[in-house]
Amino acid sequence: MGIGGCIGLIAVGGILTFAVNWDIAGVNLDLVGLIMMAVGLIGLAAYVSILKRRRVQPPAPGAPVVEVEDHNRYYR
């Protein structure tokens, strides 16, 4: 599920929770909307974390190694 699907779940869940005033026997639409919004948020968080991991690129072979000296080591 991509970003569009997650945002769609959040939007439809919000509509079911806050904008719809239907009464269906045996179905609590407020709870269904909250569940859809929660699933959309979890999916969005998972998608963003996977996307962040994909963007990390290993250094190119033969690239110079840069070492940074820790100047604050004497003040700890």
Side-chain angles (χ1 to χ4, degrees):
M1 176 179 358
I3 287 182
C6 294
I7 292 174
L9 272 176
I10 294 170
V12 171
I15 290 170
L16 285 177
T17 301
F18 301 115
V20 173
N21 200 12
W22 297 333
D23 290 326
I24 299 175
V27 178
N28 186 352
L29 286 180
D30 291 338
L31 183 61
V32 171
L34 287 174
I35 291 171
M36 289 177 75
M37 286 192 293
V39 168
L41 285 173
I42 291 169
L44 190 62
Y47 184 80
V48 168
S49 70
I50 290 171
L51 183 68
K52 183 187 280 187
R53 263 191 262 149
R54 279 192 206 159
R55 290 188 179 183
V56 174
Q57 296 178 353
V65 177
V66 178
E67 293 186 20
V68 178
E69 186 176 335
D70 187 12
H71 295 287
N72 292 326
R73 67 178 174 211
Y74 300 111
Y75 301 110
R76 292 186 191 159

